[in-house]
Amino acid sequence: MCVPGSGKTTLLDAISGRIGNSGTLLGDVSVNGRKLKREQYQDCFSYVLQSDNLLSYLTVEETLTYTAQLALRQHSADVIHKKVLAVMAELSLGHVAHSVIGGRIFPGISGGERRRVSIAMQLLQDPMDLTSVDTRCSEREATTYSRMHEITSSYQDSEINQSMLRQIEQSCQRTDKPSIPFKSKESPSGLAKLAVLLRRTVRNLSRDRMGVLMRLSQNLIYGLFVAFFVMRLDDDITKGAVQDRIGIIYQAMGASPYTGMLNAVALFPALRAMADQESKDGLYQKWQMFLAYIFHILPFSIISVFIFSSFLYWTVGMNPEMWRFLCFSAVILVPHLVGELLTLVLMGVVQDPNMVNTGVALLNVAGIMVGSGFLRSYQQMPVVFQWLSYLTFQKYGCELLIVTEFHGLNFTCSTGSIPLPGACLMTDGDDIIDQGYPGALDRYTLDFLLLYSFLPALVLLGVISYKIRDCLVQH
């Protein structure tokens, strides 16, 4: 036992190969008289962290089963099940096998049981186990350190220590040294690991019923406010027919990224913490967890956006052709996904979710200002902002929605009221498109392709981001 900050965790990080190639390590590590190479440390030792990073909605048995599936290959489900049962019996976890881990929001197993689950996850990889001690009681450790210093000083000069050193030297000189007990090398393929991570993520998050309900309804709740405010679109220009339609398009494009961002900030940090720990154990790479989360969110995002667009589109009375509605839904899906993907990408290099939240919000606001053409037309913007607009998904999304709604639409102009001068000069939807977005009709298909190109680009950027995180997260 040592005082906090004396290097216990750093020593264990070094021995277990969790600090990569950073820093300079002096000294040798031998097992059964055989000297280990530095790159072999991770394959021989495991490390149980002081904090327990576990998924709250999984049971103890499910948690261990998924770990075994990530670590072992060429084992049947029955063999893995028996191995999990054996580990639970060894650590007295059988009585809580079907109990959820729990967390801050709802109760689960006890703290001691959570600790034993973390140890069991390491034992499933057939390692030599190293457990970092609890450093929460600094006063007790200070007293212990003083006593241990006295014992260590006496021990270094004792015959017992000298005898132990002679035995170690003799062990290293033996010719018939026992083999080193490396971890199992029967790791699944990358695709198999991705499938396991996806199943684990889906099972964990799908049990949060309130979370699932909110993810499916959050866009609809916002749509209720917009629909209540607009009530019903009119075809009369003097009654705001054009302005109201542009307002709905602006709100749909501007708000969708925020709901995606909130999902990522609420759900992904726990998975990221798991990935930081398990990737150091060699179970998988962080970008594989990133991809598993993306595959998990796709059906939720599609259903949520479709519910939102179905309600808003038909309630306020937008262009009633079915193909226009489908195009509207397809366009709105992209900013929702971009908001979540961009948040995930930034979480790869930024630790604090609140900073990520702020960054994504600012980027969305800037994108709407530069790319939408609502605040200021492209022709009137400085050239630098015109070029920057091509880097925003809002440019392509707003052009698509403007064309989808206004193409072929004819407006009326009430003669019973006194409109503003020039208010009735343009009553044809195509003229309105050409006035604000010249050439948008001809770019319709291209805009769709460019809009959806943001999704694979962000996925690729996310993979790179989490490879960078491998270098940034050392402890």
Side-chain angles (χ1 to χ4, degrees), residues 105-415:
I105 300 177
F106 62 95
I109 60 177
S110 67
E113 290 163 344
R114 290 171 63 92
R115 175 93 300 213
R116 297 204 297 276
V117 171
S118 296
I119 296 173
M121 292 171 67
Q122 298 295 333
L123 293 178
L124 284 169
Q125 303 174 53
D126 294 322
M128 298 176 60
D129 184 63
L130 297 172
T131 305
S132 180
V133 297
D134 188 354
T135 60
R136 285 174 292 183
C137 186
S138 57
E139 294 181 358
R140 182 184 65 203
E141 287 208 357
T143 303
T144 304
Y145 172 74
S146 177
R147 178 60 178 161
M148 290 299 298
H149 181 70
E150 298 175 3
I151 296 174
T152 302
S153 299
S154 301
Y155 176 75
Q156 288 176 343
D157 299 327
S158 68
E159 179 61 29
I160 296 176
N161 182 46
Q162 299 302 320
S163 175
M164 180 66 69
L165 292 176
R166 287 193 296 270
Q167 292 179 18
I168 293 174
E169 184 176 357
Q170 292 173 1
S171 175
C172 292
Q173 294 175 352
R174 290 177 55 184
T175 58
D176 58 337
K177 300 181 182 70
S179 61
I180 299 175
F182 288 111
K183 294 181 183 180
S184 172
K185 290 295 186 179
E186 300 177 344
S187 178
S189 64
L191 187 59
K193 289 181 179 181
L194 184 60
V196 173
L197 291 172
L198 178 58
R199 291 198 303 270
R200 186 175 73 173
T201 302
V202 170
R203 177 164 293 187
N204 177 65
L205 296 180
S206 63
R207 287 178 177 168
D208 182 7
R209 296 181 179 178
M210 183 57 66
V212 171
L213 179 62
M214 288 303 300
R215 294 179 72 185
L216 294 177
S217 62
Q218 57 187 352
N219 285 309
L220 175 61
I221 294 173
Y222 181 74
L224 287 171
F225 285 102
V226 176
F228 179 78
F229 185 77
V230 177
M231 297 302 290
R232 191 73 181 175
L233 292 173
D234 202 294
D235 291 333
D236 192 337
I237 289 181
T238 62
K239 296 180 179 179
V242 175
Q243 179 181 351
D244 289 346
R245 283 170 169 80
I246 292 178
I248 290 176
I249 293 172
Y250 174 83
Q251 292 298 328
M253 285 296 299
S256 294
Y258 290 106
T259 55
M261 174 190 70
L262 293 175
N263 289 336
V265 170
L267 301 176
F268 194 70
L271 298 176
R272 184 183 63 177
M274 286 285 293
D276 287 342
Q277 175 179 332
E278 293 178 331
S279 63
K280 287 185 177 182
D281 292 333
L283 291 180
Y284 55 86
Q285 298 184 52
K286 294 182 180 67
W287 62 266
Q288 291 175 306
M289 174 66 82
F290 167 72
L291 290 182
Y293 181 82
I294 291 175
F295 288 133
H296 156 261
I297 67 174
L298 284 177
F300 286 98
S301 299
I302 293 172
I303 295 173
S304 176
V305 169
F306 188 78
I307 293 174
F308 162 77
S309 59
S310 298
F311 172 80
L312 180 63
Y313 196 93
W314 301 111
T315 300
V316 300
M318 300 183 75
N319 205 313
E321 296 182 26
M322 181 56 66
W323 72 269
R324 296 177 188 264
F325 163 71
L326 295 176
C327 290
F328 179 89
S329 301
V331 171
I332 297 302
L333 176 62
V334 174
H336 178 79
L337 288 173
V338 167
E340 192 153 5
L341 288 175
L342 184 57
T343 305
L344 297 176
V345 169
L346 293 180
M347 280 188 179
V349 292
V350 180
Q351 185 67 24
D352 188 357
N354 292 325
M355 291 182 61
V356 174
N357 192 346
T358 302
V360 174
L362 291 175
L363 287 174
N364 186 51
V365 171
I368 282 288
M369 291 177 60
V370 174
S372 68
F374 295 149
L375 182 64
R376 194 175 187 185
S377 66
Y378 295 122
Q379 295 82 359
Q380 296 177 338
M381 284 193 297
V383 176
V384 62
F385 289 115
Q386 292 181 23
W387 283 105
L388 285 176
S389 69
Y390 289 97
L391 300 178
T392 66
F393 66 89
Q394 289 92 344
K395 171 180 174 60
Y396 310 106
C398 289
E399 280 192 6
L400 287 167
L401 293 183
I402 288 291
V403 173
T404 300
E405 178 61 21
F406 284 91
H407 176 52
L409 194 63
N410 293 314
F411 296 97
T412 61
C413 190
S414 176
T415 58

Side-chain angles (χ1 to χ4, degrees), residues 60-98:
V60 171
E61 184 174 351
E62 288 170 345
T63 299
L64 299 179
T65 299
Y66 285 125
T67 299
Q69 291 174 350
L70 288 168
L72 304 174
R73 186 178 57 181
Q74 298 176 350
H75 285 72
S76 65
D78 184 59
V79 171
I80 289 179
H81 180 63
K82 290 180 179 179
K83 190 174 181 66
V84 169
L85 292 179
V87 171
M88 288 194 297
E90 180 72 19
L91 295 173
S92 301
L93 292 171
H95 65 289
V96 292
H98 302 293

